[in-house]
Amino acid sequence: MDTAERLIESTRELLWERGYVGTSPRAIQQRAGVGQGSMYHHFGGKPDLALAAIRRTAEELRARAEAQLGAPGPAVGRITAYLRRERDVLRGCPVGRLTQDPDVMANPTLRRPVEETFDWLRTRIAEVLAQGRAAGELADPLDPVATAATVVAVLQGGYVLARAADSAEPFGQAVDGVLGLLAAHATTTTTSSTTG
């Protein structure tokens, strides 16, 4: 891993652990094992480095989500795979946690990749739900856009509940609940084929 990559990865970890204010240039340099000159050779300063780290985290989140959402199979099955994939629940979502960082949210440049990621996620889940509805897997009254927003809100809220309880159990309950709501919109054909 070259110096720039080490700096980006170290900043990503520190942002997740400490937030923007707690991620000092010195902490980044120490974690990356580089000197001050190396950091400023590659990046104009902490904001530039934080932006690169946030963009990288956002790209990784999208790629991991697309692995399940873009897979073959029924819509609810793909969303189930996405929601149930292995996560470090008690650490929270690395992108979602940035929304709780006032310094990131106050900076339009740093906030943009966070906003774009959640826009993308809601849109992508809505597309999957619309595909399921078009294929007759989900009943017509289901609103893909509103339901996608609900899925993302439940996922992010599940992280918050888990962290507050210091247990992954509330996260699992939240996922079970939203999947139960989706199952209630599944057509009879889909329900019988998935249970049989």
Side-chain angles (χ1 to χ4, degrees), residues 61 93 95-97 118 121 151-161:
L61 184 146
C93 172
V95 176
R97 285 192 61 183
F118 284 120
L121 187 57
V151 169
V152 174
V154 167
L155 184 68
Q156 292 301 313
Y159 282 120
V160 172
L161 294 174

Side-chain angles (χ1 to χ4, degrees), residues 16-18 88-94 96-97 100 156-171:
W16 197 2
E17 293 167 14
R18 303 179 184 182
D88 192 350
V89 173
L90 295 181
R91 284 189 77 194
C93 172
R97 285 192 61 183
Q100 299 168 27
Q156 292 301 313
Y159 282 120
V160 172
L161 294 174
R163 286 175 57 81
D166 196 27
S167 166
E169 187 176 355
F171 181 90

Side-chain angles (χ1 to χ4, degrees), residues 72-92:
V76 174
R78 290 185 278 157
I79 291 171
T80 300
Y82 167 66
L83 292 175
R84 293 207 187 278
R85 80 162 186 234
E86 189 172 326
R87 290 176 161 84
D88 192 350
V89 173
L90 295 181
R91 284 189 77 194

Side-chain angles (χ1 to χ4, degrees), residues 55-77:
R55 282 182 176 155
R56 176 75 56 82
T57 298
E59 288 165 8
E60 184 179 280
L61 184 146
R62 289 184 196 197
R64 293 185 73 196
E66 186 59 29
Q68 287 89 37
L69 297 174
V76 174

Side-chain angles (χ1 to χ4, degrees), residues 4-139:
E5 284 296 308
R6 289 203 314 273
L7 286 163
I8 291 170
E9 288 303 311
S10 297
T11 304
R12 287 178 64 195
E13 292 168 10
L14 288 165
L15 285 172
W16 197 2
E17 293 167 14
R18 303 179 184 182
Y20 186 79
V21 171
T23 301
S24 67
R26 183 181 177 116
I28 295 167
Q29 293 160 22
Q30 287 177 339
R31 180 146 319 177
V34 302
Q36 184 175 355
S38 294
M39 179 174 157
Y40 290 103
H41 171 74
H42 293 284
F43 298 96
K46 177 180 162 181
D48 290 344
L49 184 50
L51 179 60
I54 292 168
R55 282 182 176 155
R56 176 75 56 82
T57 298
E59 288 165 8
E60 184 179 280
L61 184 146
R62 289 184 196 197
R64 293 185 73 196
E66 186 59 29
Q68 287 89 37
L69 297 174
V76 174
R78 290 185 278 157
I79 291 171
T80 300
Y82 167 66
L83 292 175
R84 293 207 187 278
R85 80 162 186 234
E86 189 172 326
R87 290 176 161 84
D88 192 350
V89 173
L90 295 181
R91 284 189 77 194
C93 172
V95 176
R97 285 192 61 183
L98 293 169
T99 65
Q100 299 168 27
D101 190 318
D103 294 286
V104 172
M105 292 296 100
N107 182 322
T109 303
L110 296 178
R111 186 181 67 241
R112 189 169 301 114
V114 175
E115 183 181 355
E116 288 171 351
T117 298
F118 284 120
D119 285 346
W120 175 86
L121 187 57
R122 286 193 313 272
T123 300
R124 189 66 184 98
I125 291 173
E127 289 169 355
V128 172
L129 291 168
Q131 291 165 4
R133 199 170 73 172
E137 300 167 22
L138 295 164

